[in-house]
Amino acid sequence: MSNKVTLIATAAMGLEAIVGKEVKALGYEDIQIENGRVVFEADVSAIPRANLWLRTADRVKLLVGKFKATSFDELFENTKALPWETFIEEDGEFPVVGKSVKSKLYSVPDCQSIVKKAIVERLKVKHGIDSWLKETGAFYRVEVAIHKDEALLTIDTSGSGLHKRGYRVGQGEAPLKETLAAALVQITNWTPDQPFVDPFCGSGTIAIEAALIGQNIAPGFNREFASENWSFIPQKVWDDAFQEAEDAANYDQPLQIFGSDIDPDLIEIARKNAMEAGLGELITWKQMQMSDFKPKQENGYLVSNPPYGERMGEREEVEEMYRNLGTIMRDHPSWSVYILTSHEGFEKLYGKPATKKRKLFNGFIKTDYYQYFGRKPKSKPDNGKGFGF
Ligand SMILES: C[S@@+](CC[C@H](N)C(=O)[O-])C[C@H]1O[C@@H](n2cnc3c(N)ncnc32)[C@H](O)[C@@H]1O
């Protein structure tokens, strides 16, 4: 088998370019950014590396093939023609999932069973098996995704979604997905030597992702991936990727990251999550209402996902909070402020038009990411004055 594979890093709507940047930063040049995904060709070692390192992608899928399919016959024959045996071993377990959008073949259960049958036939011939396939071995989740009559056949290399870093032992009511939290941090120009605050930190996701970024810790370091058990990826390739992540981590990088929330139970949860992420006491957590936040340093970054005020009876309180935040931050022009909210009146309430806005989805909620760039620093940040609490 050639050592080259085509990988698809799937991305939430609006995050494709950021995932693309991450893929490039891993050293893969040959990339295409499409709706909801980044496609790139790479050596097989990109499977462990992409899974370990991509902070903002949802999953990494291996492209087995794509073709036009307007009839079940076409779907069957083209699926059977693909080199499944290079990836799926004799006893591999391979459930088939599917989706179909704007296509002649719209019955997803039928497409799934046709693809399953075609792969079974191919594997039996190629692996020389007369009876049924045992499917007791490694797990390969095959997906048939048909869009405008083009079928894309992939195998998921990640297992559970990449947002599952393995550190979330607890959560509040509306936790941010880790992949989105990492994107919020990456959109900023924050560097690890600058103060970083989330005054509505909830279970701590944004602050934890910032700390992982700040110390260059691979987000997937504490979890497992479906493709770890695949025989076509030599164990050494996985070992090297984990070793690379270990070597790249900069545990000595000092950080000034603070998370606060009005709810003491959430602060406890945030603390536990950070512990689980291996960050120990690196992040300072504090139970505090936002209105008590007073930045004491210059050139900090406030990155937050406050309540949106969508619930009955919550709106006025939230609007007052946004006004308050604007008033506090007006006295600290060197700070950069980044707020994710669905409240369309945010800029007015905050009292200032954003330097930049970006549309993002928080789950199914349409939000804007309001970005206020701080005044350019005149001098290096003073790190000796103590923190903002
Ligand atoms: C949308 S949640 C943040 C979720 C967080 N990003 C996470 O991943 O878990 C908003 C948070 O703001 C907190 N909050 C509400 N009013 C507050 C206030 N006046 N001061 C500080 N925090 C407040 C809530 O307790 C809640 O945890």
Side-chain angles (χ1 to χ4, degrees), residues 129-344:
I129 297 166
D130 290 336
S131 58
W132 62 78
L133 299 172
K134 283 199 293 234
E135 298 207 36
T136 51
F139 189 80
Y140 300 80
R141 196 176 70 127
V142 172
E143 183 183 68
V144 48
I146 310 180
H147 184 247
K148 292 189 181 159
D149 298 327
E150 187 178 73
L152 199 69
L153 284 153
T154 57
I155 308 178
D156 171 43
T157 73
S158 301
S160 44
L162 293 181
H163 67 284
K164 296 215 167 133
R165 320 287 209 209
Y167 65 67
R168 200 187 276 290
V169 284
Q171 62 186 53
E173 243 180 61
L176 215 51
K177 220 169 160 183
E178 293 79 346
T179 39
L180 178 58
L184 296 186
V185 178
Q186 283 179 332
I187 288 169
T188 74
N189 293 319
W190 175 69
T191 52
D193 57 338
Q194 293 171 301
F196 184 104
V197 175
D198 178 357
F200 302 96
C201 74
S203 55
T205 324
I206 297 175
I208 292 171
E209 290 298 322
L212 295 176
I213 290 169
Q215 292 201 332
N216 203 32
I217 297 169
F221 201 69
N222 273 328
R223 56 161 280 170
E224 290 176 351
F225 304 97
S227 47
E228 273 181 74
N229 303 313
W230 294 358
S231 57
F232 81 90
I233 309 177
Q235 185 55 45
K236 182 172 179 338
V237 172
W238 276 102
D239 294 345
D240 288 351
F242 272 98
Q243 189 59 49
E244 179 190 28
E246 179 68 44
D247 295 344
N250 182 4
Y251 300 113
D252 296 331
Q253 171 65 52
L255 296 172
Q256 307 165 66
I257 301 183
F258 315 96
S260 56
D261 197 284
I262 200 163
D263 184 337
D265 294 342
L266 286 173
I267 288 298
E268 261 330 288
I269 288 173
R271 202 188 300 279
K272 281 191 188 134
N273 286 344
M275 280 288 175
E276 198 61 32
L279 298 169
E281 302 289 341
L282 202 61
I283 302 173
T284 306
W285 304 106
K286 185 173 175 170
Q287 184 275 321
M288 186 179 80
Q289 55 179 357
M290 187 280 300
S291 53
D292 288 339
F293 171 60
K294 285 184 200 68
K296 288 191 187 134
Q297 292 169 283
E298 297 286 299
N299 309 322
Y301 278 72
L302 187 153
V303 182
S304 203
N305 166 224
Y308 300 166
E310 288 188 337
R311 251 183 291 163
M312 290 261 293
E314 200 191 58
R315 199 166 177 92
E316 269 181 33
E317 199 186 319
V318 160
E319 291 184 344
E320 186 52 32
M321 222 149 51
Y322 292 173
R323 272 190 213 102
N324 228 321
L325 181 65
T327 309
I328 295 172
M329 298 319 289
R330 198 167 309 139
D331 293 336
H332 301 278
S334 73
W335 277 65
S336 297
V337 177
Y338 292 77
I339 298 290
L340 184 77
T341 178
S342 66
H343 194 311
E344 290 178 356

Side-chain angles (χ1 to χ4, degrees), residues 39-53:
V39 184
F40 61 107
E41 221 179 281
D43 182 84
V44 80
S45 61
I47 295 177
R49 293 186 72 232
N51 273 300
L52 270 169
W53 281 104

